[in-house]
Structures are given as C-alpha cells and as structure tokens.
C-alpha cells in the first residue's frame, strides 16, 4: 500500500512540474508584445547587416558588442590576476585586449561567452522597466571600466559616451518604456553578433587567427572548429536562457511596470504616488547622470 501511495505521489510530482513550467513560460500579453518586438529586431538586424549604407544604422551597436567582447577578456584576465595593459577598438569592427599574466584557457573563451552572457542578461532585463534600469546602472559601471582600460583609444571614448547619452535620453521617454526596448535591442544585437562572429571567425574560418585557434593551440586536443562549435552552442543556450528567464521572472503588465518604475529611480518631473516626495522624484537619476558625466570628464582630462 505504501508503495502504491509513493508511486502515485511520484506520478503527481512528474505531472505537476512540466505543467508548472509550461504555465511559467507561457507569455502574458505584455510579454507577447516583447517577444514580437524582439523577433522584429532579429529580422531588422539580419536585413541591415547585409545592405550597404543602411548597415551604418547598426554600426555603433556592432562596436558596442565588440566592446563587450574585449571587456569580457579584460575582466576574465583581472579575475585570474592578469595585468590589463590596454583595450582597443578599431573602425573595422575589430578589437584587442593586451594583458600580461592570467590563465589563457579562461581569458580566451571569455570574449565570446562573456559578451553572449551580457546579451542574454540584457534580453531578460528587457522584459521589465525596473530591471532595464538596473541593467543600465550595471552597464554604466561596465562602461567606466572599459574607458579606464581604453583611455588612450578615442574611438572607444566616442562610442561609450555616445551610448551613455542614448541610454540617458531613452530613460526620459515614456517613463522608461523606451529604455526597456533599447535594452532589449542591445541584448538581441549582442547575442546575434556573437553567433555570427563565432560562425564567421571559427567555423567558416574566414580569418586566419581567432580566439578559438589560439585556444586550440594551447589545448592541442581539438581543432579550432570544434571549440568554435562548442562556444556557438553555449552562446545559443545563453540566448534562449535570456528569453526564458524574462518570461518566468517578469509577468507584470506594462501598466504595473510603469507604476512600479515610479518608485525606483524615476525620471525628473514624473508623477509620484507619494506627494510628499514628488519634488525629489528625479533626484536619484539626475545625480546618477551628473556623477557619470563628471567622472567621464575627469578621466578625459587626466586619463588621456
């Protein structure tokens, strides 16, 4: 009898979790709109990528993804006790991170995997306004590290300061809704660029040297195409995980998100549910903008 009850409980448990997972990943109307927008981003990026002149529209975001790639190398180097000497971006959508020391088997794959992980996190945060604000604060810290390591590379400065200005501008549009879709776009762009770059540089072998070829040289057990394929699978899993996390974690409607955003770094002048603090509603975001701007100016004067 106990075995019968035990078997019945196991059957109920096995039936409950698939059903619960399906309910969690079933999109709400707001999430369905987000998925449609993300799908349109994928199509638009795929079209603009191959059309001359029009591809300049997404050119800054390509460079931003290269910045994610190089900074991921640098952070992995920092975590493995390397000394970061410089970080550079070039107009041909390339980049280089120079470091001494570190553990190459960690720092080499960190470029592709780190930038795809960043893209996945941004996609997940793109499902919610407050999460997008948190993502932008993290990006601001990420930008400051990038500027410090690339303080002598003018292209990096122009790109990062331009992106920071774009993020601040979108923060003020429609109470943060526009910011959410910008974060979603950057996330989709980063993941797609990594997938395309891994295929182009390692599997298709359109370049003679790549992170995968250097990694294969160190390991000596598999050709670079095998490592490229492995990184491609991991990057695709990150992409999918970003969407799934967004669906599971952020179920609130757009109206509920707007109301919650009034309590977390609201834009200056936005209506606040508590009249006693309405006049101070914009102070945190304004202070954040001023601190970021002042830091950039100080580094521009003393760092270059």
């Amino acid at each position: 009898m106990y075995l019968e009850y035990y078997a019945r409980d196991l059957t109920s448990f096995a039936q409950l979790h698939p059903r619960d997972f399906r309910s969690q990943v079933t999109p709400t109307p707001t999430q369905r709109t987000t998925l449609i927008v993300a799908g349109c981003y994928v199509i638009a990026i795929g079209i603009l990528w191959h059309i001359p002149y029009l591809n300049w529209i997404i050119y800054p975001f390509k460079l931003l993804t290269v910045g994610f790639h190089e900074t991921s190398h640098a952070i992995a180097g920092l975590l493995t006790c390397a000394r970061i000497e410089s970080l550079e971006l070039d107009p041909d959508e390339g980049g280089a991170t120079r470091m001494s020391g570190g553990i190459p088997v960690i720092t080499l794959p960190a470029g592709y995997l780190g930038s795809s992980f960043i893209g996945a996190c941004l996609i997940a945060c793109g499902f919610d306004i407050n999460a997008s604000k948190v993502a932008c604060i993290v990006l601001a810290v990420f930008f400051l590290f990038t500027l410090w390591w690339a303080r002598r590379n003018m292209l990096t400065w122009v790109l990062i300061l331009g992106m920071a200005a774009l993020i601040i501008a979108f923060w003020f549009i429609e109470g943060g809704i526009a910011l959410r879709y910008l974060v979603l776009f950057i996330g989709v762009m980063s993941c797609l660029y990594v997938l395309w770059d891994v295929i182009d540089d390692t599997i298709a072998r359109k370049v003679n040297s790549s992170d995968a070829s250097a990694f294969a040289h160190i390991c000596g057990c598999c050709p670079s195409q095998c490592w490229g394929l492995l990184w491609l699978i991991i990057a695709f899993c990150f992409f999918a995980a970003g969407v799934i996390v967004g669906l599971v974690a952020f179920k609130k409607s757009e109206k509920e998100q707007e109301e919650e955003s009034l309590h977390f770094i609201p834009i200056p002048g936005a209506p606040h549910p508590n009249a006693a603090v309405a006049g101070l509603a914009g102070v945190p975001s304004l202070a954040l903008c001023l601190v970021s701007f002042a830091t950039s100016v100080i580094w521009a004067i003393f760092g270059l």
Side-chain angles (χ1 to χ4, degrees), residues 72-206:
S72 296
H73 279 309
I75 291 176
L78 198 65
L79 294 176
T80 55
C81 301
R83 179 179 177 273
I84 311 302
E85 298 173 354
S86 67
L87 186 153
E88 296 179 2
L89 302 181
D90 64 63
D92 295 328
E93 302 173 21
T97 301
R98 294 179 174 83
M99 66 180 77
S100 56
I103 304 175
V105 293
I106 295 177
T107 59
L108 284 172
Y112 288 125
L113 301 184
S115 53
S116 61
F117 177 75
I118 292 170
C121 291
L122 293 177
I123 289 175
C125 291
F127 281 79
D128 183 77
I129 295 177
N130 281 348
S132 297
K133 291 181 177 180
V134 172
C136 289
I137 295 173
V138 175
L139 279 180
V141 177
F142 195 86
F143 287 168
L144 292 178
F145 274 103
T146 304
L147 289 178
W148 174 253
W149 285 323
R151 54 188 176 272
R152 297 187 181 277
N153 185 254
M154 186 57 65
L155 177 62
T156 306
W157 274 86
V158 173
L159 173 70
I160 296 300
L161 294 181
M163 284 296 168
L166 185 65
I167 288 173
I168 293 173
F170 274 66
W171 197 305
F172 283 75
I173 299 176
E174 294 294 328
I177 296 177
L179 180 70
R180 180 167 78 87
Y181 288 116
L182 175 64
V183 169
L184 181 67
F185 177 80
I186 295 174
V188 171
M189 181 72 201
S190 182
C191 284
L192 287 182
Y193 193 96
V194 171
L195 294 174
W196 176 259
D197 209 29
V198 170
I199 294 174
D200 201 45
D201 287 355
T202 63
I203 299 176
R205 293 298 300 271
K206 293 186 177 180

Side-chain angles (χ1 to χ4, degrees), residues 3 5 20 25 27-28 34 36 54 61 78 95 141 148 156 165 185 190 194 207 239 244 260 294:
L3 290 176
Y5 284 134
D20 185 61
V25 298
T28 64
T34 303
I36 292 173
L54 288 181
F61 297 97
L78 198 65
V141 177
W148 174 253
T156 306
F185 177 80
S190 182
V194 171
V207 295
F239 196 164
I244 293 174
E260 286 192 349

